[in-house]
């Protein structure tokens, strides 16, 4: 028996539909590939803002620092959380300014025109997962200042 005849007959047959092989690996719709993981400190307390459709969105900003201590630079990241009322929203709303937070989110670049008519681009991050690494209680900070 020769090598070629020992192969399975299906491997020797020419492909009748080469395009079906491309989509045969997955039947699910494509997922977001632009994901970010950020560990940073909360710039201010989160706030609830209503969208034009009336849905509540929790918005907050994170700051991350990089570079040597004598020339440290800070990057600011705006994050949106569409969590319904409940545990996750309560966790996010309970985070105080300066809390160390781990955030995973989907990213997208949005182009818009500002009030002056200048075209701008902004990175939008929609939170998928959040973990509070170090909580700073704003009430405790206020009491410490008053003492």
């Amino acid at each position: 028996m020769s090598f070629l005849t020992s192969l399975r007959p299906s491997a020797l047959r020419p492909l009748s539909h080469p395009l079906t092989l491309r989509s045969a690996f997955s039947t699910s719709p494509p997922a977001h590939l632009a994901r970010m993981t950020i560990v940073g400190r909360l710039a201010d307390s989160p706030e609830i803002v209503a969208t034009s459709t009336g849905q509540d969105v929790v918005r907050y900003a994170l700051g991350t620092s990089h570079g040597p201590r004598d020339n440290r630079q800070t990057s600011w990241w705006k994050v949106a959380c569409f969590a319904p009322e409940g545990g996750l929203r309560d966790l996010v709303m309970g985070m105080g300014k300066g809390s160390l937070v781990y955030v995973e989110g989907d990213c997208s670049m949005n182009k818009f025109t500002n009030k002056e008519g200048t075209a701008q681009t902004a990175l939008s991050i929609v939170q998928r997962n959040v973990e509070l690494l170090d909580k700073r209680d704003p009430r405790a900070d206020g009491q410490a200042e008053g003492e």
Side-chain angles (χ1 to χ4, degrees):
M1 184 185 278
S2 74
F3 174 73
L4 289 176
T5 57
S6 65
L7 293 175
R8 288 188 282 173
S10 61
L12 294 174
R13 237 181 288 140
L15 295 176
S16 58
H17 301 289
L19 295 178
T20 58
L21 288 178
R22 291 183 191 164
S23 62
F25 294 106
S26 176
T27 58
S28 62
H32 287 283
L33 294 179
R35 290 254 168 92
M36 269 187 111
T37 303
I38 303 171
V39 176
R41 295 219 175 255
L42 213 59
D44 203 0
S45 297
E47 61 181 7
I48 297 177
V49 179
T51 64
S52 59
T53 60
Q55 183 179 10
D56 287 339
V57 179
V58 178
R59 292 190 179 188
Y60 57 95
L62 293 176
T64 58
S65 297
H66 54 84
R69 289 199 184 268
D70 59 340
N71 191 20
R72 191 158 297 247
Q73 297 178 357
T74 302
S75 298
W76 297 99
W77 309 92
K78 292 182 180 180
V79 182
C81 172
F82 289 91
E85 288 187 33
L88 180 60
R89 183 187 274 186
D90 293 342
L91 171 73
V92 173
M93 291 302 295
M95 298 185 301
K97 179 180 179 178
S99 296
L100 187 63
V101 181
Y102 168 89
V103 175
E104 290 178 9
D106 293 328
C107 304
S108 62
M109 293 297 289
N110 300 317
K111 294 180 181 181
F112 64 95
T113 305
N114 64 11
K115 293 177 184 176
E116 290 81 32
T118 306
Q120 291 188 333
T121 305
L123 176 69
S124 297
I125 303 170
V126 177
Q127 170 191 307
R128 293 181 59 85
N129 186 21
V130 64
E131 290 183 33
L132 187 57
L133 302 176
D134 176 31
K135 184 173 183 171
R136 293 215 177 151
D137 188 2
R139 292 171 295 196
D141 291 342
Q143 290 174 355
E145 291 174 3
E147 292 177 353

